[in-house]
Amino acid sequence: MTRRLTLALPSKGRLREPSWALLEASGVAPQEPGERVLQAHCRNADIDLLFVRADDVPEYVQDSVVDCGITGLDLVAERDSSVEVLLRLGFGTCSLQAAVSMEDSATKLSDLEGRRIATSHPRIAAKVLAERGVSADLVQVAGSVEISPRLGLADAIIDLVSTGSTLRTNGLRSIGVLFESEAVLVGRTGSTDHEARRTLTTLLGSVINARANRYLLCNVAKDRLAEVTAVLPTKGSPTVMDLATPGIVAVHALVPAAEIWSLLPKLAACGATSILTLPVERMVP
Ligand code: AMP
């Protein structure tokens, strides 16, 4: 019998919805949790879910309270947790950046030498500043880091930034990136023999791979096939099939979603017609 897997999911905050969506897209069907439910079981997989704060996930995994969890890479680094990153999940992307007020003269990290910096990520901040030879006075705050300079609490901040709009709204300007983060699936270090964990990692990975690709179909005259295959940004070999109309073939290929924009005009220039792109649900290499 397969040992059941316990998976900690963020119960609120920005990682909650995309974590839930990823699980659903991967075909794992949990019973819909109500607002206050802390635990749920999956109907069709050997997985039990535990809903906790994203900040607590690294500790829960490290202490074997759960087998795996979804959290931010920044939180794993900040807690200095002894867990294994099994998969990068491609959402919750952000970076830990140093920022000063618009009027400040600082333009780079080394300009923060000897100054006061407010942050809710003191461990990563201290580590990166030390690596870059900058000695500064870190002030730990739990939230609303971006108002610290206006309150006179600090000269600068080190905080998570995704779009930069919060910095701009608060009259702040970035002067450097310290750490790049995204949501990750983490597991207990060394627990490689857990079959349900391997299956979950493969399943989630297949959805993440698929999201980055599109299935492309087009028709082209046989004598222009070489032109079409030459412009396809495809690693594997495309599928080529004869159509009922003599002299025309259908080309099917998997292409990176990010390249569709530049690819379509090239295909049209090669005489390709009936060009379709379809989302891919799952990709297992
Ligand atoms: P929460 O506080 O529960 O909303 O989750 C915070 C986590 O979301 C952080 O630890 C990051 O991993 C991730 N995240 C992504 N973008 C941002 C952002 N702009 N600000 C804060 N956290 C972000």
Side-chain angles (χ1 to χ4, degrees):
M1 203 181 88
T2 321
R3 187 154 68 84
R4 289 186 76 81
L5 182 95
T6 42
L7 171 69
L9 285 184
S11 55
K12 52 184 176 179
R14 4 183 140 226
L15 302 183
R16 181 183 187 275
E17 286 308 320
S19 301
W20 189 250
L22 175 63
L23 218 60
E24 283 190 316
S26 71
V28 175
Q31 291 154 0
E32 185 73 41
E35 275 304 300
R36 286 152 164 264
V37 171
L38 297 177
Q39 273 178 304
H41 303 287
C42 288
R43 283 192 296 273
N44 63 340
D46 298 320
I47 300 177
D48 297 319
L49 303 172
L50 191 68
F51 299 95
V52 297
R53 285 166 50 107
D55 315 47
D56 291 333
V57 170
E59 190 114 351
Y60 275 46
V61 174
Q62 176 181 285
D63 296 350
S64 304
V65 176
V66 292
D67 298 301
C68 293
I70 292 181
T71 187
L73 189 58
D74 59 305
L75 297 170
V76 175
E78 187 56 34
R79 302 286 179 281
D80 197 22
S81 312
S82 157
V83 297
E84 202 175 320
V85 174
L86 304 175
L87 202 61
R88 288 179 171 255
L89 302 179
F91 59 82
T93 48
C94 57
S95 56
L96 195 64
Q97 300 190 18
V100 292
S101 63
M102 292 292 180
E103 312 78 61
D104 200 286
S105 60
T107 57
K108 52 190 183 308
L109 224 47
S110 56
D111 294 336
L112 297 181
E113 179 70 33
R115 303 186 73 185
R116 275 168 78 79
I117 310 173
T119 185
S120 53
H121 287 72
R123 190 189 293 263
I124 306 179
K127 183 167 178 280
V128 177
L129 289 174
E131 282 165 6
R132 310 241 182 124
V134 181
S135 160
D137 182 11
L138 290 175
V139 184
Q140 183 170 355
V141 290
S144 304
V145 183
E146 59 283 351
I147 59 166
S148 309
R150 232 185 310 143
L151 296 178
L153 183 68
D155 306 307
I157 65 163
I158 290 180
D159 199 15
L160 290 175
V161 177
S162 41
T163 62
S165 68
T166 308
L167 286 187
R168 283 191 296 278
T169 308
N170 288 282
L172 299 170
R173 166 172 62 79
S174 173
I175 57 165
V177 174
L178 287 84
F179 186 85
E180 300 281 359
S181 181
E182 70 184 282
V184 284
L185 175 71
V186 292
R188 214 176 313 144
T189 310
S191 287
T192 48
D193 60 337
H194 198 152
E195 194 185 328
R197 171 172 127 162
R198 279 200 300 271
T199 308
L200 178 72
T201 310
T202 306
L203 267 180
L204 299 187
S206 73
V207 173
I208 292 154
N209 276 340
R211 283 176 175 173
N213 289 280
R214 295 291 179 271
Y215 194 71
L216 174 103
L217 305 89
C218 65
N219 294 343
V220 66
K222 237 177 197 164
D223 59 359
R224 300 197 71 182
L225 175 62
E227 290 174 58
V228 167
T229 53
V231 297
L232 287 178
T234 310
K235 275 194 220 123
S237 172
T239 305
V240 178
M241 286 173 286
D242 282 325
L243 293 190
T245 312
I248 309 285
V249 289
V251 180
H252 293 198
L254 200 67
V255 297
E259 302 201 26
I260 296 280
W261 169 258
S262 57
L263 178 62
L264 289 186
K266 289 186 203 160
L267 287 174
C270 298
T273 58
S274 306
I275 303 170
L276 299 178
T277 61
L278 308 175
V280 183
E281 211 170 80
R282 219 180 292 274
M283 258 178 77
V284 182

